[in-house]
Amino acid sequence: MVLPRDFDDAHARADSLSLRTSIGVGGRPRYLFEPESEEGCREVVRLCRASGVPLHVLGGGCNLLVTDGEIEGAVIATRNLKHFRVFDDRVEVGAGYGFPALVRKAIDLGIPGLPGCPGIPGSVGGVVFMNAGGRFGSVADALSEVSGLDHEGNVFRRFIQPGDLGYRSSPFAGCLVTGAVFRRDPAQTPEMGQALHRKAMTWKRDTQPLAARSAGCIFKNPPGPYSAGWLIEQADLKGLRIGGAMVSTQHANFIVNTGEASAKDVWSLIMLIQAEVKQRHGVDLELEVQTWA
Ligand code: EPU
């Protein structure tokens, strides 16, 4: 099959995803597109669909595990979708806008929940897709609207309803998120936001390996009283290594890249953890990280 010329440029631009994922592993896609507008994204989705080329969406690459070697098909990166518009009652942000920067601005802008999300890396699109957050706040606290493209390249705009966002889940699987709207609450003062931010940051620094290269929590917390981190620690797996991948000694639900880890090292460690936790506790740990095989 002869692909349109745009694919030649996208091939030339494709670099290793180990440079674009927070855990620092992953191979090179055949094609990489980095559009600067929703319309540009739409063209890429339609082009790939018409050419039968599978398309992966890359946000901040922070909750993602990509295979080694060449990645089949194309990648569309959203990092150039960076608009940021402030209104009296809301803030509109592009999917490629950095979430840590939004969290800092949320303190003065009175966006509920977000000041309680320091130390969560990634892009706005990624955190919306994953409904990121934790005990001090989450995306769901303030998200009111999401815009994007469905798998056919049709533009959509969805007003968030109660029940749309679950534990690390959103209704946007198979879609490309291009932007989000967060509400502002006049009752939330900068002092309140600052206090929440400080408290959450202190707690995060004490409990998570923020400076290490990782993909965040690897597994979802299973139903029941015990967290994935607790189950892994109780199975004596903290510090366990395969190649360059290691179970964090600080928080057992993180796998850190100690240097030259490959995706194969990380995968092998994941499978070992799952087997050990199943044997010791009878619990099946489900992946939280997104994976591209
Ligand atoms: N624990 C251990 N050993 C560990 C880690 C944790 O015993 O190595 C225990 C803790 O002592 C605590 C319990 O497990 O009693 C829960 O741990 P923690 O409070 O650290 O929270 P978590 O459930 O492990 C979740 C999210 C994090 C989020 C934190 C903070 C998941 C899978 N993880 O972690 O999100 O930052 O709460 O709110 O839901 C992520 O999703 O990538 C992530 C980092």
XYZ file of all heavy atoms in Angstrom, residues 82-138:
410
model
N -2.010 23.265 23.551
C -1.636 23.879 24.828
C -2.442 25.097 25.227
O -1.962 25.905 26.014
C -0.170 24.286 24.748
C 0.739 23.116 24.994
C 2.072 23.591 25.438
C 2.850 22.458 26.031
N 4.218 22.473 25.719
N -3.641 25.288 24.701
C -4.335 26.534 25.033
C -4.685 26.568 26.520
O -4.828 25.525 27.178
C -5.578 26.720 24.156
C -6.650 25.701 24.391
N -6.787 24.582 23.609
C -7.632 25.639 25.315
C -7.809 23.868 24.044
N -8.346 24.496 25.092
N -4.801 27.786 27.045
C -5.139 27.976 28.464
C -5.941 29.267 28.554
O -5.399 30.345 28.362
C -3.842 28.074 29.290
C -4.095 28.121 30.763
C -4.250 26.944 31.489
C -4.207 29.325 31.430
C -4.505 26.976 32.851
C -4.462 29.375 32.793
C -4.601 28.195 33.506
N -7.248 29.146 28.812
C -8.106 30.344 28.830
C -8.879 30.400 30.140
O -9.509 29.401 30.534
C -9.084 30.301 27.649
C -8.381 30.461 26.299
C -9.379 30.626 25.163
N -9.950 29.364 24.735
C -9.452 28.603 23.763
N -8.376 28.981 23.091
N -10.033 27.468 23.436
N -8.797 31.555 30.785
C -9.449 31.701 32.091
C -10.725 32.524 31.942
O -10.719 33.600 31.343
C -8.492 32.396 33.088
C -9.173 32.597 34.434
C -7.214 31.568 33.251
N -11.824 32.032 32.485
C -13.103 32.755 32.531
C -13.522 32.873 33.999
O -12.911 32.252 34.875
C -14.180 31.983 31.739
C -13.833 31.813 30.282
C -13.064 30.725 29.866
C -14.235 32.749 29.339
C -12.724 30.566 28.528
C -13.892 32.593 27.999
C -13.136 31.499 27.590
N -14.559 33.680 34.248
C -14.981 33.875 35.642
C -15.313 32.555 36.333
O -14.991 32.349 37.493
C -16.236 34.771 35.702
C -15.860 36.208 35.406
O -14.645 36.504 35.442
O -16.770 37.013 35.121
N -15.986 31.697 35.602
C -16.507 30.481 36.243
C -15.772 29.204 35.860
O -16.099 28.125 36.355
C -17.996 30.315 35.883
C -18.185 30.195 34.364
O -17.257 30.577 33.614
O -19.240 29.704 33.936
N -14.794 29.301 34.949
C -14.145 28.069 34.461
C -12.791 28.359 33.825
O -12.486 29.520 33.511
C -15.044 27.383 33.434
C -15.187 28.168 32.149
C -16.257 27.593 31.240
N -16.204 28.219 29.916
C -16.706 29.418 29.625
N -17.282 30.145 30.566
N -16.600 29.917 28.405
N -12.046 27.289 33.612
C -10.775 27.389 32.902
C -10.799 26.348 31.790
O -11.143 25.186 32.033
C -9.593 27.101 33.868
C -8.269 27.150 33.133
C -9.581 28.091 35.016
N -10.440 26.773 30.573
C -10.399 25.835 29.450
C -8.936 25.544 29.120
O -8.145 26.466 28.927
C -11.091 26.444 28.221
C -12.562 26.722 28.467
C -13.291 27.310 27.249
O -12.616 27.545 26.210
O -14.495 27.542 27.368
N -8.597 24.284 29.055
C -7.190 23.892 28.904
C -7.029 22.862 27.796
O -7.851 21.938 27.675
C -6.653 23.237 30.211
C -5.138 23.310 30.255
C -7.235 23.866 31.439
N -5.950 22.989 27.032
C -5.651 22.010 25.988
C -5.120 20.718 26.588
O -4.509 20.718 27.661
N -5.317 19.618 25.859
C -4.913 18.296 26.366
C -3.401 18.206 26.593
O -2.943 17.430 27.427
C -5.342 17.218 25.383
N -2.626 18.992 25.858
C -1.175 18.903 25.992
C -0.604 19.775 27.098
O 0.600 19.758 27.368
N -1.466 20.556 27.741
C -1.002 21.425 28.832
C -0.509 20.541 29.980
O -1.125 19.537 30.309
C -2.168 22.308 29.295
C -1.747 23.518 30.080
C -1.349 24.675 29.434
C -1.727 23.491 31.462
C -0.947 25.793 30.153
C -1.337 24.595 32.189
C -0.940 25.745 31.532
O -0.547 26.836 32.256
N 0.580 20.929 30.620
C 1.151 20.098 31.683
C 0.270 20.115 32.930
O -0.123 21.194 33.396
N -0.027 18.950 33.461
C -0.893 18.902 34.637
C -0.242 19.569 35.857
O -0.921 20.308 36.581
C -1.314 17.457 34.932
C -2.351 17.355 36.014
C -3.579 17.998 35.893
C -2.112 16.629 37.168
C -4.542 17.915 36.902
C -3.065 16.538 38.170
C -4.280 17.183 38.039
N 1.056 19.370 36.119
C 1.652 20.051 37.278
C 1.491 21.578 37.206
O 1.249 22.229 38.228
C 3.132 19.637 37.218
C 3.103 18.311 36.536
C 2.015 18.426 35.499
N 1.578 22.151 36.010
C 1.405 23.607 35.865
C -0.044 23.999 36.161
O -0.306 25.027 36.801
C 1.797 24.040 34.449
N -0.977 23.174 35.729
C -2.395 23.460 36.009
C -2.666 23.374 37.512
O -3.391 24.204 38.074
C -3.289 22.468 35.253
C -4.786 22.611 35.525
C -5.310 23.984 35.089
C -5.581 21.507 34.814
N -2.049 22.395 38.159
C -2.232 22.225 39.610
C -1.745 23.477 40.348
O -2.416 23.979 41.248
C -1.487 20.950 40.096
C -1.329 20.935 41.610
C -2.229 19.706 39.627
N -0.604 24.009 39.925
C -0.084 25.226 40.578
C -1.032 26.405 40.360
O -1.329 27.167 41.275
C 1.313 25.561 40.047
C 2.422 24.708 40.688
C 3.808 25.255 40.361
N 4.072 25.304 38.922
C 4.501 24.266 38.207
N 4.708 23.104 38.791
N 4.735 24.386 36.911
N -1.544 26.531 39.138
C -2.449 27.650 38.844
C -3.789 27.480 39.554
O -4.470 28.460 39.870
C -2.664 27.764 37.340
C -1.401 28.238 36.649
C -1.644 28.668 35.229
C -0.394 29.366 34.716
N -0.328 29.555 33.312
N -4.181 26.227 39.785
C -5.483 25.938 40.411
C -5.581 26.552 41.810
O -6.676 26.836 42.288
C -5.693 24.430 40.486
N -4.425 26.785 42.447
C -4.425 27.355 43.805
C -5.044 28.751 43.759
O -5.962 29.054 44.511
C -2.981 27.415 44.356
C -2.415 26.001 44.488
C -2.937 28.173 45.677
C -0.922 25.947 44.798
N -4.561 29.602 42.852
C -5.063 30.978 42.767
C -6.375 31.083 42.005
O -7.143 32.017 42.208
C -4.019 31.882 42.095
C -2.836 32.125 43.014
O -3.046 32.092 44.243
O -1.714 32.305 42.510
N -6.616 30.120 41.125
C -7.835 30.196 40.301
C -9.045 29.573 40.991
O -10.157 29.629 40.471
C -7.595 29.499 38.956
C -6.632 30.213 38.020
C -6.284 29.341 36.824
C -7.238 31.535 37.547
N -8.827 28.940 42.136
C -9.953 28.359 42.874
C -10.587 27.177 42.164
O -11.811 27.022 42.143
N -9.757 26.324 41.565
C -10.294 25.102 40.939
C -10.336 24.018 42.017
O -9.294 23.657 42.572
C -9.416 24.641 39.749
C -9.265 25.769 38.725
C -10.019 23.402 39.111
C -8.332 25.441 37.563
N -11.520 23.496 42.324
C -11.621 22.539 43.424
C -10.810 21.262 43.173
O -10.703 20.806 42.036
C -13.114 22.188 43.479
C -13.806 23.224 42.682
C -12.819 23.764 41.692
N -10.261 20.706 44.233
C -9.590 19.398 44.153
C -8.178 19.446 43.604
O -7.270 18.800 44.135
N -7.945 20.238 42.552
C -6.641 20.155 41.878
C -5.447 20.584 42.745
O -4.362 20.006 42.599
C -6.649 20.929 40.552
C -7.613 20.427 39.484
C -7.228 20.980 38.115
C -7.706 18.919 39.421
N -5.599 21.562 43.649
C -4.428 21.873 44.493
C -3.992 20.672 45.341
O -2.864 20.620 45.805
C -4.947 23.014 45.389
C -6.029 23.652 44.587
C -6.703 22.517 43.867
N -4.878 19.693 45.494
C -4.523 18.480 46.241
C -3.873 17.418 45.368
O -3.759 16.268 45.798
N -3.452 17.795 44.163
C -2.854 16.826 43.235
C -1.405 17.147 42.866
O -1.016 16.953 41.708
C -3.670 16.761 41.947
S -5.351 16.175 42.162
N -0.579 17.645 43.785
C 0.815 17.879 43.393
C 1.516 16.538 43.215
O 1.062 15.529 43.750
C 1.393 18.628 44.596
C 0.612 18.112 45.751
C -0.788 17.879 45.215
N 2.607 16.555 42.457
C 3.393 15.322 42.305
C 2.762 14.334 41.345
O 3.243 13.216 41.215
N 1.689 14.743 40.665
C 1.140 13.879 39.608
C 1.616 14.462 38.290
O 1.237 15.573 37.920
C -0.410 13.844 39.638
C -0.889 13.271 40.975
C -0.938 13.014 38.462
C -2.403 13.182 41.105
N 2.487 13.738 37.588
C 3.021 14.282 36.341
C 2.033 14.087 35.201
O 0.936 13.568 35.400
C 4.275 13.430 36.123
C 3.927 12.114 36.746
C 2.971 12.377 37.864
N 2.416 14.504 34.011
C 1.608 14.189 32.837
C 0.874 15.367 32.267
O 1.041 16.512 32.684
N 0.036 15.068 31.287
C -0.694 16.107 30.558
C -2.149 16.108 31.000
O -2.648 15.130 31.559
C -0.637 15.794 29.059
O -1.313 14.562 28.825
N -2.821 17.211 30.700
C -4.247 17.323 31.046
C -5.049 16.196 30.375
O -5.902 15.569 31.000
C -4.780 18.718 30.651
C -6.293 18.755 30.623
C -4.231 19.766 31.611
N -4.735 15.898 29.114
C -5.460 14.821 28.424
C -5.306 13.487 29.144
O -6.268 12.744 29.335
N -4.078 13.213 29.551
C -3.793 11.942 30.232
C -4.513 11.828 31.570
O -5.106 10.791 31.884
N -4.499 12.902 32.352
C -5.126 12.817 33.677
C -6.651 12.761 33.567
O -7.316 12.149 34.404
C -4.680 13.952 34.639
C -3.185 13.897 34.889
C -5.120 15.318 34.168
N -7.195 13.364 32.515
C -8.648 13.262 32.285
C -8.994 11.818 31.913
O -9.921 11.213 32.461
C -9.087 14.242 31.171
C -10.482 13.904 30.647
C -9.044 15.676 31.681
N -8.237 11.259 30.999
C -8.446 9.884 30.534
C -8.400 8.897 31.708
O -9.190 7.956 31.788
C -7.356 9.550 29.518
C -7.531 8.233 28.829
C -8.288 8.151 27.667
C -6.949 7.085 29.320
C -8.464 6.939 27.020
C -7.117 5.865 28.682
C -7.877 5.787 27.526
N -7.447 9.135 32.632
C -7.235 8.196 33.749
C -8.033 8.586 34.987
O -8.004 7.880 35.977
C -5.749 8.186 34.155
C -4.794 7.618 33.152
S -5.136 5.902 32.779
C -4.805 5.084 34.332
N -8.680 9.735 34.984
C -9.250 10.302 36.208
C -8.234 10.187 37.344
O -8.464 9.507 38.358
C -10.583 9.640 36.588
C -11.205 10.322 37.806
O -10.889 11.466 38.132
N -12.083 9.603 38.491
N -7.117 10.860 37.148
C -6.022 10.794 38.117
C -6.393 11.511 39.412
O -7.299 12.356 39.443
C -4.771 11.435 37.507
N -5.677 11.179 40.449
C -5.915 11.849 41.725
C -5.509 10.960 42.877
O -4.807 9.970 42.692
N -5.979 11.324 44.036
C -5.614 10.552 45.220
C -6.410 11.038 46.404
O -7.467 11.663 46.240
N -5.861 10.824 47.588
C -6.645 11.105 48.802
C -6.896 12.593 49.047
O -7.774 12.957 49.818
C -5.964 10.492 50.016
C -4.589 11.049 50.307
C -4.032 10.472 51.588
N -3.765 9.042 51.452
C -3.487 8.235 52.471
N -3.483 8.725 53.697
N -3.215 6.967 52.270
N -6.117 13.487 48.426
C -6.294 14.927 48.680
C -7.059 15.662 47.575
O -7.300 16.857 47.679
C -4.935 15.597 48.889
C -4.198 15.048 50.077
C -3.188 14.112 49.912
C -4.523 15.465 51.366
C -2.514 13.599 51.004
C -3.855 14.949 52.465
C -2.855 14.008 52.299
N -7.380 14.968 46.516
C -8.131 15.617 45.435
C -7.989 14.828 44.150
O -7.079 14.001 44.017
N -8.897 15.088 43.226
C -8.782 14.377 41.949
C -9.395 15.209 40.832
O -10.098 16.209 41.070
C -9.454 13.009 42.031
O -10.840 13.146 41.867
